[in-house]
Amino acid sequence: MRPYEAAVQVDDTVRLNANESPRISPIGNFRRPLNRYPEVRPQKLQEALAARFGCSAEQLLVTRGSSEAIDLLIRTFCAAGKDNIVTPTPSFSMYWHYARIQGAAVIEVPTSADNDFTIDIDALLAACTDASRVVFVCSPNNPTGTPLPRADVVKLLRERDQRSAVVVDEAYVEFGEQESMIDMVNEYPNLLVLRTLSKALGFAGARCGAVAGSSDVIKLLNAVQSPYALATPVVECVEDALQAEQLASADTAVKGIISERQRLMTAMASYEFVHKVWPSEANFFLARLSDAGAVMQRCEENSVLLRHFGGDLSDCIRITVGSPSDNDRLLSVLDTLVES
Ligand SMILES: Cc1ncc(COP(=O)(O)O)c(C=O)c1O
């Protein structure tokens, strides 16, 4: 695959090469006019995100949320009907979703609540086959909040060298103790790290994320990604969000969420109907309840939405840490369960 060859864009020229309209609409208030196509890849944004995440611009591709990066990775590496991805369970359902669309099989390696959802790296390696092209690990993991130690990722990278891409999904890394693993992309060409602006930065609506890896792999993903993937309003809004002052304010918000997480987890653990609250390094945590269905229902009746999963997690709910007043509201609804 070669990257798409787009019409050349040069500032201050008469642009009659891309079938654009000369009409500039008064709608919106953007620095770049919307009658013109955006850059095929937003260069300035790529450099700003690379600087933020700690890699070079050539080692990073800006994507429409990290979800798009998951799709790109599976489409780039997995042949339909032939290859597979490997991932511990429970984990983020998007890996399954995009694997199914591509016709790639999913090899699941279960972790257990009784073992605090610890990933057994040897079991993960043993589950890989000659057709395993991508191993997805999420750290901290959604929905359990469990981080994966760096030494385990290194073992995966070494053992799967030349055989599988190892994707570390760091959507929630800012909320945890562990450093990002992006620094290892120089050393391990099979490492890909996913980052997003949807969580710590609070820009889920902008749909912006990134995948970092060796420049050769990034070139491949770049060739597969849609040309003009990032719209001008998104590019400008994220450029603004990456200004130092905005980043400092987002960092303060993350600290607030971490402290609220502790308060909420402690309060949750004090209810009799809560059997277990797992430690979490994310902006959510998982709790096991005596009657998860009843808690979900009472919360829903009071316009508080939580997440309930089926299968092995049917007695658990995942609670996202909200603002102090959101969290108070949740606790006041749970208090009514105690009273009844
Ligand atoms: C583990 C994980 N990875 C990736 C994503 C996707 O995030 P986005 O596409 O908004 O960047 C999510 C969203 O919830 C997630 O939980």
Side-chain angles (χ1 to χ4, degrees):
M1 285 286 303
R2 289 219 184 92
Y4 173 76
E5 278 178 31
V8 179
Q9 295 172 323
V10 182
D11 288 343
D12 303 322
T13 49
V14 177
R15 287 182 54 156
L16 303 177
N17 64 344
N19 300 349
E20 295 160 334
S21 166
R23 173 180 177 265
I24 300 178
S25 159
I27 304 293
N29 185 19
F30 303 103
R31 294 187 284 280
R32 300 158 177 103
L34 290 191
N35 63 323
R36 302 297 176 197
Y37 281 94
E39 286 177 275
V40 174
R41 299 287 173 250
Q43 194 60 36
K44 215 175 123 194
L45 184 55
Q46 187 175 333
E47 283 161 16
L49 283 176
R52 165 88 176 158
F53 295 147
C55 62
S56 72
E58 296 69 42
Q59 291 170 322
L60 184 116
L61 182 71
V62 186
T63 54
R64 286 169 287 195
S66 47
S67 310
E68 187 194 20
I70 297 167
D71 181 29
L72 288 176
L73 282 159
I74 294 176
R75 283 197 286 132
T76 304
F77 289 119
C78 295
K82 197 169 138 219
D83 295 330
N84 65 61
I85 68 159
V86 182
T87 186
T89 59
S91 194
F92 185 45
S93 57
M94 229 35 123
Y95 314 139
W96 286 257
H97 178 79
Y98 284 120
R100 268 190 217 114
I101 291 173
Q102 175 61 8
V106 180
I107 297 180
E108 299 184 352
V109 182
T111 61
S112 146
D114 298 336
N115 197 17
D116 289 339
F117 304 104
T118 307
I119 294 172
D120 178 347
I121 290 296
D122 292 324
L124 202 58
L125 286 167
C128 292
T129 70
D130 288 346
S132 299
R133 296 283 162 260
V134 191
V135 180
F136 281 95
V137 286
C138 183
S139 178
N141 186 37
N142 179 6
T144 60
T146 329
L148 183 62
R150 181 175 275 249
D152 284 353
V153 173
V154 168
K155 184 166 183 184
L156 261 180
L157 289 164
R158 290 198 172 138
E159 298 282 326
R160 295 306 299 170
D161 183 31
Q162 305 287 332
R163 294 191 286 174
S164 306
V166 174
V167 180
V168 182
D169 184 341
E170 295 188 334
Y172 302 97
V173 72
E174 291 94 338
F175 302 98
E177 301 275 304
Q178 200 164 278
E179 293 288 310
S180 167
M181 305 203 195
I182 281 193
D183 60 294
M184 294 201 290
V185 296
N186 291 315
E187 198 177 339
Y188 298 99
N190 58 335
L191 171 64
L192 280 312
V193 177
L194 305 185
R195 298 292 298 263
T196 181
L197 278 68
S198 298
K199 312 295 177 183
L201 243 81
F203 272 78
R207 308 308 302 127
C208 186
V211 47
S214 80
S215 53
D216 285 346
V217 176
I218 293 301
K219 268 190 208 139
L220 280 176
L221 299 173
N222 177 42
V224 176
Q225 189 187 36
S226 300
Y228 311 110
L230 276 291
T232 298
V234 172
V235 171
E236 294 197 357
C237 139
V238 178
E239 280 172 358
D240 294 349
L242 294 175
Q243 297 301 312
E245 197 182 311
Q246 294 301 319
L247 290 175
S249 138
D251 287 347
T252 306
V254 166
K255 288 196 183 92
I257 287 170
I258 293 170
S259 109
E260 276 294 294
R261 179 180 71 201
Q262 192 49 53
R263 177 174 81 93
L264 201 52
M265 286 169 71
T266 307
M268 282 294 295
S270 69
Y271 291 107
E272 212 171 89
F273 55 84
V274 176
H275 293 184
K276 175 147 183 137
V277 175
W278 277 278
S280 170
E281 300 220 352
N283 66 341
F284 57 80
F285 60 91
L286 195 68
R288 180 187 269 159
L289 314 174
S290 49
D291 190 345
V295 171
M296 286 297 293
Q297 193 183 337
R298 179 62 61 92
C299 286
E300 213 176 303
E301 283 162 7
N302 288 278
S303 307
V304 175
L305 303 182
L306 308 174
R307 191 75 191 262
H308 187 206
F309 302 93
D312 293 345
L313 294 181
S314 58
D315 56 354
C316 299
I317 52 172
R318 189 193 67 191
I319 299 172
T320 303
V321 180
S323 67
S325 65
D326 291 344
N327 303 331
D328 285 342
R329 172 86 182 271
L330 166 66
L331 293 174
S332 68
V333 174
L334 296 179
D335 287 344
T336 67
L337 277 168
V338 177
E339 289 149 18
S340 64

